[in-house]
Amino acid sequence: MSDAGKIQAPRGTFDVLGESSSARATLEAKARSILEGAGYERIETPAFEATELFARGVGASTDIVQKEMYTFEDASGRSLTLRPEGTAPVCRAYVEHGMHKLRQPVRLWYLSSFFRYERAQAGRYRQFWQLGAEALGSEDPAVDAESICLLAALLEEMGVASVRLRLSSLGSPAARQAYREQLQRHLHAHADSLSEDVRSRIDLNPLRAFDSEHPGTRRAMETAPLLGDFLSAEDTEHFAEVRARLDAAHLAYQIDHTLVRGLDYYTRTVFELTSDALGAQSGVGGGGRYDGLVQQLGGPPTPGIGWAAGIERILLAGSPPPAAPAPVDLFVAYEPSHDGDRPLEDRPAHHAPAGAFALLTEARAAGLTAQMELAGRSLKGQLGFANALGARYVAILGTDETVLKDMLGGAQDTLAADAVVHAVLRGLRTL
Ligand code: HAM
């Protein structure tokens, strides 16, 4: 067949089909049970927001804002952006709905699609799904530890292999600023050995240098100052308390002061969970504190912490327990050629008779799960299909009578069509 006229999904996007769709349903059910069990409520924010939200919230110098946003003008000339991440939208909603008046912390979770114009490869897409959890209104280190433990528990339940937790503290904005200046001084002094990309961003985003794979840059970073040495006494204490709670929960971590998150709103705790089961895109989930973000978006001073994890990466690195297929109580089949010497009903020979449809709707109205033959198969083909569906009963409509087959026990009864639903209900009750 020629490809002319076929339209394909855009690069970096994909269709969610069959098994992958049921694996996602399993993940969603586990996330709901773990997060709602811990007091999180589901939130859904719009797929697009005012561009200003991300420029201000995520940070004008970040890769996301500089080169990865899908930004467009609507018909009235407003600049809108498909959400590249969920934290700024959740904080916007917190402010917009006056959630600071609710009991704190307000804990919210989401499972939504996000959009970034990135180089597409395995585990990195342009439309992807994130599961995220945000806790707003408490700076207690127990909230940091709880948030991290919930993500670790979810990954464990999803069978994500070889997970490592990297942990750091970025301190307050003031400490970060002092550190930034020192780091910039260091980078300028080593400018000759840096990659072009890192060199061109010394002033804009010096922390990025820790992420570089470029050998000269890596060498220069070995002697770079570390943020951990710049933390205030309060931030050092907060970080120690977070660690003590993770220790109490027996959750292992590695402290890594070179941990760079690609978003500007972080303060104090930051973390990332990686899996060796993934290739280059090893980050399964990450997050941290963002104590200034709500205020930056026009709300009252409000601390916050949260994380997001990529659904595709969780499923790539994990082995989700298979979801049980939906049970089929009754499959309605029919004898295709029961026209014999009688006139055919008001239908072509390969269309199901109205009586089959009537039985299907009667069964569903009685609370049974039911399906019927819709593709004009032979009777043998219909029974094979019912078997593949795992149907418990099959009703075969004939001209005068209906045969009800118990697919589990093999028993077979002949009865009037209007007695079928009752017989199935009785049969299921005696299981
Ligand atoms: P992030 O690290 O940018 O953080 O993304 C979190 C996770 O989303 C990553 O660890 C990865 O699993 C997944 N992810 C990111 N980009 C892609 C992509 N292009 N394709 C597939 N998966 C991807 C955030 O978004 C923050 N909002 C997390 C947060 C919540 N911080 C505080 N609260």
mmCIF file of all heavy atoms in Angstrom, residues 64 84-88 110 116 118 123-130 132-134 261-263 265-266 272-273 283-290 305-314, ligand 1:
data_model
loop_
_atom_site.group_PDB
_atom_site.id
_atom_site.type_symbol
_atom_site.label_atom_id
_atom_site.label_comp_id
_atom_site.label_asym_id
_atom_site.label_seq_id
_atom_site.Cartn_x
_atom_site.Cartn_y
_atom_site.Cartn_z
ATOM 1 N N ILE A 64 13.803 25.165 29.342
ATOM 2 C CA ILE A 64 12.363 25.000 29.070
ATOM 3 C C ILE A 64 11.803 26.281 28.474
ATOM 4 O O ILE A 64 11.157 26.263 27.428
ATOM 5 C CB ILE A 64 11.603 24.618 30.371
ATOM 6 C CG1 ILE A 64 12.011 23.219 30.813
ATOM 7 C CG2 ILE A 64 10.093 24.717 30.173
ATOM 8 C CD1 ILE A 64 11.298 22.698 32.045
ATOM 9 N N PRO A 84 4.514 23.079 29.983
ATOM 10 C CA PRO A 84 5.703 22.222 29.915
ATOM 11 C C PRO A 84 5.932 21.490 31.239
ATOM 12 O O PRO A 84 6.741 20.562 31.304
ATOM 13 C CB PRO A 84 6.840 23.214 29.655
ATOM 14 C CG PRO A 84 6.368 24.499 30.264
ATOM 15 C CD PRO A 84 4.862 24.499 30.201
ATOM 16 N N GLU A 85 5.256 21.906 32.298
ATOM 17 C CA GLU A 85 5.405 21.274 33.619
ATOM 18 C C GLU A 85 4.199 21.665 34.476
ATOM 19 O O GLU A 85 3.396 22.516 34.054
ATOM 20 C CB GLU A 85 6.727 21.682 34.271
ATOM 21 C CG GLU A 85 6.848 23.152 34.609
ATOM 22 C CD GLU A 85 6.517 23.444 36.049
ATOM 23 O OE1 GLU A 85 7.024 22.758 36.928
ATOM 24 O OE2 GLU A 85 5.714 24.375 36.302
ATOM 25 N N GLY A 86 4.073 21.037 35.645
ATOM 26 C CA GLY A 86 2.835 21.185 36.408
ATOM 27 C C GLY A 86 2.906 22.024 37.670
ATOM 28 O O GLY A 86 1.864 22.369 38.240
ATOM 29 N N THR A 87 4.118 22.356 38.147
ATOM 30 C CA THR A 87 4.214 23.021 39.448
ATOM 31 C C THR A 87 3.711 24.464 39.390
ATOM 32 O O THR A 87 2.939 24.899 40.253
ATOM 33 C CB THR A 87 5.667 22.975 39.954
ATOM 34 O OG1 THR A 87 6.119 21.626 39.850
ATOM 35 C CG2 THR A 87 5.767 23.423 41.396
ATOM 36 N N ALA A 88 4.152 25.204 38.353
ATOM 37 C CA ALA A 88 3.688 26.595 38.235
ATOM 38 C C ALA A 88 2.161 26.650 38.067
ATOM 39 O O ALA A 88 1.501 27.456 38.746
ATOM 40 C CB ALA A 88 4.420 27.300 37.086
ATOM 41 N N TYR A 110 -1.550 15.092 40.380
ATOM 42 C CA TYR A 110 -2.050 15.173 39.007
ATOM 43 C C TYR A 110 -1.420 14.097 38.138
ATOM 44 O O TYR A 110 -0.342 13.588 38.444
ATOM 45 C CB TYR A 110 -1.780 16.556 38.389
ATOM 46 C CG TYR A 110 -0.363 17.074 38.564
ATOM 47 C CD1 TYR A 110 0.644 16.762 37.642
ATOM 48 C CD2 TYR A 110 -0.024 17.869 39.663
ATOM 49 C CE1 TYR A 110 1.935 17.237 37.802
ATOM 50 C CE2 TYR A 110 1.268 18.336 39.834
ATOM 51 C CZ TYR A 110 2.250 18.020 38.910
ATOM 52 O OH TYR A 110 3.532 18.479 39.082
ATOM 53 N N ARG A 116 7.010 19.588 25.627
ATOM 54 C CA ARG A 116 8.317 20.269 25.535
ATOM 55 C C ARG A 116 8.912 19.964 24.166
ATOM 56 O O ARG A 116 8.937 18.787 23.763
ATOM 57 C CB ARG A 116 9.290 19.777 26.622
ATOM 58 C CG ARG A 116 8.843 20.130 28.020
ATOM 59 C CD ARG A 116 9.867 19.704 29.072
ATOM 60 N NE ARG A 116 9.278 19.769 30.411
ATOM 61 C CZ ARG A 116 9.861 19.370 31.528
ATOM 62 N NH1 ARG A 116 11.085 18.881 31.484
ATOM 63 N NH2 ARG A 116 9.246 19.459 32.692
ATOM 64 N N GLU A 118 11.645 18.997 22.709
ATOM 65 C CA GLU A 118 12.958 18.439 23.023
ATOM 66 C C GLU A 118 13.385 17.526 21.884
ATOM 67 O O GLU A 118 12.571 17.130 21.058
ATOM 68 C CB GLU A 118 12.876 17.603 24.301
ATOM 69 C CG GLU A 118 12.586 18.427 25.540
ATOM 70 C CD GLU A 118 13.025 17.712 26.799
ATOM 71 O OE1 GLU A 118 14.237 17.708 27.058
ATOM 72 O OE2 GLU A 118 12.177 17.174 27.505
ATOM 73 N N GLY A 123 12.367 7.419 25.689
ATOM 74 C CA GLY A 123 12.202 8.005 27.023
ATOM 75 C C GLY A 123 12.128 9.520 27.020
ATOM 76 O O GLY A 123 11.987 10.136 28.078
ATOM 77 N N ARG A 124 12.248 10.135 25.845
ATOM 78 C CA ARG A 124 12.123 11.601 25.806
ATOM 79 C C ARG A 124 11.206 11.987 24.636
ATOM 80 O O ARG A 124 11.512 11.684 23.484
ATOM 81 C CB ARG A 124 13.481 12.258 25.642
ATOM 82 C CG ARG A 124 13.419 13.746 25.978
ATOM 83 C CD ARG A 124 14.538 14.487 25.332
ATOM 84 N NE ARG A 124 15.703 14.602 26.170
ATOM 85 C CZ ARG A 124 16.922 14.856 25.682
ATOM 86 N NH1 ARG A 124 17.108 14.971 24.378
ATOM 87 N NH2 ARG A 124 17.938 14.981 26.487
ATOM 88 N N TYR A 125 10.096 12.597 24.973
ATOM 89 C CA TYR A 125 9.071 12.866 23.978
ATOM 90 C C TYR A 125 8.694 14.339 23.997
ATOM 91 O O TYR A 125 9.102 15.082 24.879
ATOM 92 C CB TYR A 125 7.831 12.001 24.264
ATOM 93 C CG TYR A 125 8.190 10.559 24.476
ATOM 94 C CD1 TYR A 125 8.350 10.044 25.769
ATOM 95 C CD2 TYR A 125 8.454 9.729 23.395
ATOM 96 C CE1 TYR A 125 8.730 8.724 25.969
ATOM 97 C CE2 TYR A 125 8.839 8.411 23.581
ATOM 98 C CZ TYR A 125 8.977 7.908 24.876
ATOM 99 O OH TYR A 125 9.375 6.620 25.071
ATOM 100 N N ARG A 126 7.900 14.721 23.008
ATOM 101 C CA ARG A 126 7.459 16.118 22.958
ATOM 102 C C ARG A 126 6.102 16.295 23.628
ATOM 103 O O ARG A 126 5.793 17.357 24.126
ATOM 104 C CB ARG A 126 7.451 16.588 21.507
ATOM 105 C CG ARG A 126 8.884 16.664 21.008
ATOM 106 C CD ARG A 126 9.015 17.160 19.604
ATOM 107 N NE ARG A 126 10.426 17.288 19.293
ATOM 108 C CZ ARG A 126 10.910 17.468 18.080
ATOM 109 N NH1 ARG A 126 10.091 17.565 17.042
ATOM 110 N NH2 ARG A 126 12.207 17.584 17.908
ATOM 111 N N GLN A 127 5.301 15.249 23.599
ATOM 112 C CA GLN A 127 4.151 15.203 24.502
ATOM 113 C C GLN A 127 4.363 13.987 25.378
ATOM 114 O O GLN A 127 4.540 12.873 24.877
ATOM 115 C CB GLN A 127 2.827 15.068 23.751
ATOM 116 C CG GLN A 127 1.663 14.957 24.743
ATOM 117 C CD GLN A 127 0.274 14.870 24.106
ATOM 118 O OE1 GLN A 127 0.138 14.868 22.895
ATOM 119 N NE2 GLN A 127 -0.738 14.806 24.933
ATOM 120 N N PHE A 128 4.393 14.185 26.689
ATOM 121 C CA PHE A 128 4.627 13.077 27.611
ATOM 122 C C PHE A 128 3.690 13.261 28.800
ATOM 123 O O PHE A 128 3.069 14.316 28.950
ATOM 124 C CB PHE A 128 6.100 13.046 28.061
ATOM 125 C CG PHE A 128 6.560 14.341 28.691
ATOM 126 C CD1 PHE A 128 6.594 14.505 30.068
ATOM 127 C CD2 PHE A 128 6.935 15.418 27.896
ATOM 128 C CE1 PHE A 128 6.997 15.704 30.644
ATOM 129 C CE2 PHE A 128 7.335 16.626 28.463
ATOM 130 C CZ PHE A 128 7.369 16.764 29.832
ATOM 131 N N TRP A 129 3.597 12.233 29.624
ATOM 132 C CA TRP A 129 2.697 12.304 30.783
ATOM 133 C C TRP A 129 3.516 12.314 32.066
ATOM 134 O O TRP A 129 4.515 11.599 32.175
ATOM 135 C CB TRP A 129 1.738 11.119 30.789
ATOM 136 C CG TRP A 129 0.484 11.376 30.000
ATOM 137 C CD1 TRP A 129 -0.760 11.648 30.523
ATOM 138 C CD2 TRP A 129 0.324 11.390 28.578
ATOM 139 N NE1 TRP A 129 -1.654 11.843 29.494
ATOM 140 C CE2 TRP A 129 -1.026 11.691 28.294
ATOM 141 C CE3 TRP A 129 1.196 11.197 27.511
ATOM 142 C CZ2 TRP A 129 -1.523 11.791 27.013
ATOM 143 C CZ3 TRP A 129 0.703 11.299 26.224
ATOM 144 C CH2 TRP A 129 -0.641 11.597 25.982
ATOM 145 N N GLN A 130 3.092 13.141 32.974
ATOM 146 C CA GLN A 130 3.733 13.173 34.291
ATOM 147 C C GLN A 130 2.701 12.876 35.359
ATOM 148 O O GLN A 130 1.563 13.341 35.284
ATOM 149 C CB GLN A 130 4.268 14.566 34.592
ATOM 150 C CG GLN A 130 5.636 14.881 34.058
ATOM 151 C CD GLN A 130 6.121 16.241 34.547
ATOM 152 O OE1 GLN A 130 5.366 17.010 35.162
ATOM 153 N NE2 GLN A 130 7.367 16.546 34.269
ATOM 154 N N GLY A 132 2.366 13.809 39.212
ATOM 155 C CA GLY A 132 3.016 14.766 40.099
ATOM 156 C C GLY A 132 2.273 14.919 41.407
ATOM 157 O O GLY A 132 1.071 14.622 41.503
ATOM 158 N N ALA A 133 2.988 15.355 42.443
ATOM 159 C CA ALA A 133 2.383 15.568 43.760
ATOM 160 C C ALA A 133 2.992 16.833 44.358
ATOM 161 O O ALA A 133 4.216 16.977 44.369
ATOM 162 C CB ALA A 133 2.670 14.371 44.655
ATOM 163 N N GLU A 134 2.150 17.747 44.811
ATOM 164 C CA GLU A 134 2.629 19.014 45.376
ATOM 165 C C GLU A 134 1.995 19.211 46.750
ATOM 166 O O GLU A 134 0.795 18.977 46.911
ATOM 167 C CB GLU A 134 2.243 20.203 44.474
ATOM 168 C CG GLU A 134 2.462 20.007 42.976
ATOM 169 C CD GLU A 134 3.926 20.089 42.539
ATOM 170 O OE1 GLU A 134 4.796 20.389 43.376
ATOM 171 O OE2 GLU A 134 4.198 19.842 41.338
ATOM 172 N N ARG A 261 18.723 20.847 38.844
ATOM 173 C CA ARG A 261 17.380 20.660 38.308
ATOM 174 C C ARG A 261 17.176 21.761 37.268
ATOM 175 O O ARG A 261 17.650 22.874 37.433
ATOM 176 C CB ARG A 261 16.342 20.751 39.431
ATOM 177 C CG ARG A 261 16.609 19.803 40.591
ATOM 178 C CD ARG A 261 15.952 18.455 40.424
ATOM 179 N NE ARG A 261 14.548 18.579 40.140
ATOM 180 C CZ ARG A 261 13.940 17.973 39.111
ATOM 181 N NH1 ARG A 261 14.624 17.203 38.303
ATOM 182 N NH2 ARG A 261 12.660 18.136 38.900
ATOM 183 N N GLY A 262 16.478 21.438 36.203
ATOM 184 C CA GLY A 262 16.367 22.398 35.102
ATOM 185 C C GLY A 262 15.306 23.471 35.279
ATOM 186 O O GLY A 262 14.830 24.021 34.303
ATOM 187 N N LEU A 263 14.926 23.758 36.530
ATOM 188 C CA LEU A 263 13.889 24.760 36.775
ATOM 189 C C LEU A 263 14.391 25.722 37.849
ATOM 190 O O LEU A 263 15.085 25.303 38.772
ATOM 191 C CB LEU A 263 12.598 24.075 37.245
ATOM 192 C CG LEU A 263 12.083 22.974 36.296
ATOM 193 C CD1 LEU A 263 12.144 21.621 36.950
ATOM 194 C CD2 LEU A 263 10.680 23.287 35.826
ATOM 195 N N TYR A 265 12.764 27.568 40.174
ATOM 196 C CA TYR A 265 12.014 27.905 41.396
ATOM 197 C C TYR A 265 12.483 27.193 42.653
ATOM 198 O O TYR A 265 11.984 27.451 43.736
ATOM 199 C CB TYR A 265 10.506 27.681 41.207
ATOM 200 C CG TYR A 265 10.071 26.373 40.553
ATOM 201 C CD1 TYR A 265 10.339 25.134 41.124
ATOM 202 C CD2 TYR A 265 9.350 26.407 39.370
ATOM 203 C CE1 TYR A 265 9.898 23.962 40.533
ATOM 204 C CE2 TYR A 265 8.894 25.233 38.764
ATOM 205 C CZ TYR A 265 9.174 24.014 39.354
ATOM 206 O OH TYR A 265 8.742 22.857 38.758
ATOM 207 N N TYR A 266 13.472 26.297 42.549
ATOM 208 C CA TYR A 266 13.807 25.496 43.722
ATOM 209 C C TYR A 266 14.552 26.262 44.806
ATOM 210 O O TYR A 266 15.373 27.138 44.535
ATOM 211 C CB TYR A 266 14.630 24.277 43.315
ATOM 212 C CG TYR A 266 13.823 23.271 42.527
ATOM 213 C CD1 TYR A 266 14.130 22.979 41.207
ATOM 214 C CD2 TYR A 266 12.732 22.638 43.100
ATOM 215 C CE1 TYR A 266 13.379 22.070 40.486
ATOM 216 C CE2 TYR A 266 11.968 21.733 42.388
ATOM 217 C CZ TYR A 266 12.295 21.447 41.081
ATOM 218 O OH TYR A 266 11.552 20.562 40.362
ATOM 219 N N GLU A 272 16.326 13.708 42.985
ATOM 220 C CA GLU A 272 16.025 13.057 41.721
ATOM 221 C C GLU A 272 16.115 11.554 41.930
ATOM 222 O O GLU A 272 17.006 11.077 42.640
ATOM 223 C CB GLU A 272 17.046 13.503 40.666
ATOM 224 C CG GLU A 272 16.428 13.669 39.305
ATOM 225 C CD GLU A 272 17.232 14.634 38.438
ATOM 226 O OE1 GLU A 272 18.341 14.249 38.028
ATOM 227 O OE2 GLU A 272 16.755 15.748 38.184
ATOM 228 N N LEU A 273 15.197 10.806 41.352
ATOM 229 C CA LEU A 273 15.275 9.347 41.390
ATOM 230 C C LEU A 273 15.618 8.859 39.997
ATOM 231 O O LEU A 273 14.950 9.217 39.028
ATOM 232 C CB LEU A 273 13.950 8.752 41.871
ATOM 233 C CG LEU A 273 13.827 8.845 43.397
ATOM 234 C CD1 LEU A 273 12.687 9.725 43.802
ATOM 235 C CD2 LEU A 273 13.694 7.473 44.010
ATOM 236 N N GLY A 283 16.523 9.742 34.428
ATOM 237 C CA GLY A 283 15.694 10.375 35.462
ATOM 238 C C GLY A 283 14.263 9.882 35.390
ATOM 239 O O GLY A 283 13.571 10.097 34.400
ATOM 240 N N VAL A 284 13.831 9.181 36.436
ATOM 241 C CA VAL A 284 12.441 8.703 36.453
ATOM 242 C C VAL A 284 11.543 9.791 37.049
ATOM 243 O O VAL A 284 10.429 10.019 36.599
ATOM 244 C CB VAL A 284 12.286 7.433 37.312
ATOM 245 C CG1 VAL A 284 10.891 6.848 37.123
ATOM 246 C CG2 VAL A 284 13.321 6.418 36.952
ATOM 247 N N GLY A 285 12.057 10.444 38.077
ATOM 248 C CA GLY A 285 11.261 11.487 38.712
ATOM 249 C C GLY A 285 12.155 12.417 39.493
ATOM 250 O O GLY A 285 13.279 12.059 39.861
ATOM 251 N N GLY A 286 11.669 13.627 39.729
ATOM 252 C CA GLY A 286 12.477 14.576 40.488
ATOM 253 C C GLY A 286 11.617 15.703 40.996
ATOM 254 O O GLY A 286 10.483 15.897 40.554
ATOM 255 N N GLY A 287 12.184 16.433 41.942
ATOM 256 C CA GLY A 287 11.420 17.554 42.478
ATOM 257 C C GLY A 287 12.197 18.290 43.537
ATOM 258 O O GLY A 287 13.427 18.178 43.617
ATOM 259 N N GLY A 288 11.476 19.012 44.366
ATOM 260 C CA GLY A 288 12.131 19.760 45.422
ATOM 261 C C GLY A 288 11.217 20.820 45.987
ATOM 262 O O GLY A 288 10.037 20.911 45.640
ATOM 263 N N ARG A 289 11.822 21.633 46.885
ATOM 264 C CA ARG A 289 11.092 22.742 47.519
ATOM 265 C C ARG A 289 11.074 23.953 46.624
ATOM 266 O O ARG A 289 12.022 24.198 45.879
ATOM 267 C CB ARG A 289 11.812 23.150 48.805
ATOM 268 C CG ARG A 289 11.268 22.541 49.972
ATOM 269 C CD ARG A 289 11.517 23.207 51.305
ATOM 270 N NE ARG A 289 10.742 22.378 52.194
ATOM 271 C CZ ARG A 289 9.452 22.562 52.451
ATOM 272 N NH1 ARG A 289 8.792 23.598 51.974
ATOM 273 N NH2 ARG A 289 8.807 21.720 53.212
ATOM 274 N N TYR A 290 10.005 24.709 46.714
ATOM 275 C CA TYR A 290 9.913 25.963 45.945
ATOM 276 C C TYR A 290 9.226 26.992 46.834
ATOM 277 O O TYR A 290 8.106 27.411 46.569
ATOM 278 C CB TYR A 290 9.171 25.730 44.622
ATOM 279 C CG TYR A 290 7.949 24.854 44.737
ATOM 280 C CD1 TYR A 290 6.706 25.387 45.067
ATOM 281 C CD2 TYR A 290 8.033 23.477 44.543
ATOM 282 C CE1 TYR A 290 5.582 24.578 45.187
ATOM 283 C CE2 TYR A 290 6.909 22.663 44.661
ATOM 284 C CZ TYR A 290 5.700 23.225 44.983
ATOM 285 O OH TYR A 290 4.593 22.420 45.111
ATOM 286 N N ILE A 305 6.520 22.024 48.334
ATOM 287 C CA ILE A 305 7.461 20.989 47.878
ATOM 288 C C ILE A 305 6.704 19.957 47.057
ATOM 289 O O ILE A 305 5.519 19.708 47.312
ATOM 290 C CB ILE A 305 8.185 20.286 49.046
ATOM 291 C CG1 ILE A 305 9.096 19.180 48.495
ATOM 292 C CG2 ILE A 305 7.221 19.717 50.080
ATOM 293 C CD1 ILE A 305 10.230 18.774 49.364
ATOM 294 N N GLY A 306 7.368 19.377 46.077
ATOM 295 C CA GLY A 306 6.690 18.347 45.287
ATOM 296 C C GLY A 306 7.626 17.686 44.314
ATOM 297 O O GLY A 306 8.837 17.942 44.315
ATOM 298 N N TRP A 307 7.053 16.805 43.513
ATOM 299 C CA TRP A 307 7.828 16.091 42.501
ATOM 300 C C TRP A 307 6.943 15.731 41.327
ATOM 301 O O TRP A 307 5.710 15.809 41.418
ATOM 302 C CB TRP A 307 8.445 14.798 43.059
ATOM 303 C CG TRP A 307 7.506 13.904 43.818
ATOM 304 C CD1 TRP A 307 7.421 13.795 45.186
ATOM 305 C CD2 TRP A 307 6.515 12.993 43.296
ATOM 306 N NE1 TRP A 307 6.450 12.872 45.531
ATOM 307 C CE2 TRP A 307 5.879 12.364 44.394
ATOM 308 C CE3 TRP A 307 6.106 12.634 42.012
ATOM 309 C CZ2 TRP A 307 4.859 11.414 44.251
ATOM 310 C CZ3 TRP A 307 5.084 11.687 41.859
ATOM 311 C CH2 TRP A 307 4.474 11.092 42.968
ATOM 312 N N ALA A 308 7.596 15.374 40.243
ATOM 313 C CA ALA A 308 6.868 14.794 39.117
ATOM 314 C C ALA A 308 7.696 13.650 38.565
ATOM 315 O O ALA A 308 8.932 13.673 38.617
ATOM 316 C CB ALA A 308 6.626 15.838 38.033
ATOM 317 N N ALA A 309 7.005 12.626 38.076
ATOM 318 C CA ALA A 309 7.682 11.470 37.496
ATOM 319 C C ALA A 309 7.075 11.182 36.135
ATOM 320 O O ALA A 309 5.867 11.324 35.945
ATOM 321 C CB ALA A 309 7.534 10.255 38.414
ATOM 322 N N GLY A 310 7.914 10.820 35.181
ATOM 323 C CA GLY A 310 7.443 10.559 33.819
ATOM 324 C C GLY A 310 6.786 9.187 33.733
ATOM 325 O O GLY A 310 7.400 8.177 34.070
ATOM 326 N N ILE A 311 5.546 9.186 33.272
ATOM 327 C CA ILE A 311 4.804 7.924 33.144
ATOM 328 C C ILE A 311 5.519 6.956 32.201
ATOM 329 O O ILE A 311 5.676 5.770 32.496
ATOM 330 C CB ILE A 311 3.390 8.211 32.571
ATOM 331 C CG1 ILE A 311 2.597 9.080 33.527
ATOM 332 C CG2 ILE A 311 2.644 6.931 32.241
ATOM 333 C CD1 ILE A 311 2.364 8.450 34.842
ATOM 334 N N GLU A 312 5.989 7.484 31.072
ATOM 335 C CA GLU A 312 6.626 6.596 30.083
ATOM 336 C C GLU A 312 7.892 5.995 30.676
ATOM 337 O O GLU A 312 8.208 4.830 30.453
ATOM 338 C CB GLU A 312 6.974 7.365 28.794
ATOM 339 C CG GLU A 312 5.758 7.862 28.021
ATOM 340 C CD GLU A 312 5.077 9.069 28.642
ATOM 341 O OE1 GLU A 312 5.772 9.853 29.332
ATOM 342 O OE2 GLU A 312 3.858 9.238 28.474
ATOM 343 N N ARG A 313 8.611 6.810 31.449
ATOM 344 C CA ARG A 313 9.869 6.295 32.029
ATOM 345 C C ARG A 313 9.579 5.277 33.120
ATOM 346 O O ARG A 313 10.298 4.289 33.270
ATOM 347 C CB ARG A 313 10.715 7.439 32.548
ATOM 348 C CG ARG A 313 11.182 8.308 31.388
ATOM 349 C CD ARG A 313 12.287 9.232 31.760
ATOM 350 N NE ARG A 313 12.460 10.245 30.730
ATOM 351 C CZ ARG A 313 13.175 11.324 30.862
ATOM 352 N NH1 ARG A 313 13.819 11.548 32.002
ATOM 353 N NH2 ARG A 313 13.289 12.183 29.873
ATOM 354 N N ILE A 314 8.541 5.505 33.911
ATOM 355 C CA ILE A 314 8.185 4.516 34.949
ATOM 356 C C ILE A 314 7.866 3.182 34.270
ATOM 357 O O ILE A 314 8.321 2.123 34.709
ATOM 358 C CB ILE A 314 6.960 4.970 35.775
ATOM 359 C CG1 ILE A 314 7.267 6.230 36.576
ATOM 360 C CG2 ILE A 314 6.501 3.846 36.709
ATOM 361 C CD1 ILE A 314 6.088 6.765 37.385
HETATM 362 P P1 HAM B 1 11.298 17.629 35.572
HETATM 363 O O1 HAM B 1 12.539 17.033 36.150
HETATM 364 O O2 HAM B 1 11.453 18.601 34.462
HETATM 365 O O3 HAM B 1 10.513 18.281 36.778
HETATM 366 O O4 HAM B 1 10.360 16.458 35.070
HETATM 367 C C1 HAM B 1 9.999 15.395 35.937
HETATM 368 C C2 HAM B 1 10.012 14.072 35.209
HETATM 369 O O5 HAM B 1 9.237 14.148 34.025
HETATM 370 C C3 HAM B 1 11.390 13.639 34.719
HETATM 371 O O6 HAM B 1 12.112 13.011 35.753
HETATM 372 C C4 HAM B 1 11.029 12.675 33.608
HETATM 373 O O7 HAM B 1 10.714 11.393 34.143
HETATM 374 C C5 HAM B 1 9.759 13.274 33.041
HETATM 375 N N1 HAM B 1 10.049 14.028 31.811
HETATM 376 C C6 HAM B 1 10.500 15.299 31.697
HETATM 377 N N2 HAM B 1 10.644 15.646 30.401
HETATM 378 C C7 HAM B 1 10.268 14.566 29.665
HETATM 379 C C8 HAM B 1 10.185 14.274 28.256
HETATM 380 N N3 HAM B 1 10.490 15.180 27.339
HETATM 381 N N4 HAM B 1 9.768 13.042 27.889
HETATM 382 C C9 HAM B 1 9.433 12.099 28.806
HETATM 383 N N5 HAM B 1 9.485 12.328 30.136
HETATM 384 C C10 HAM B 1 9.892 13.525 30.564
HETATM 385 C C11 HAM B 1 9.341 18.939 36.677
HETATM 386 O O8 HAM B 1 8.640 18.959 35.695
HETATM 387 C C12 HAM B 1 8.910 19.605 37.968
HETATM 388 N N6 HAM B 1 7.616 20.267 37.753
HETATM 389 C C13 HAM B 1 8.837 18.591 39.093
HETATM 390 C C14 HAM B 1 8.389 19.194 40.384
HETATM 391 C C15 HAM B 1 7.156 19.121 40.932
HETATM 392 N N7 HAM B 1 9.147 19.914 41.196
HETATM 393 C C16 HAM B 1 8.426 20.302 42.240
HETATM 394 N N8 HAM B 1 7.218 19.836 42.072
#
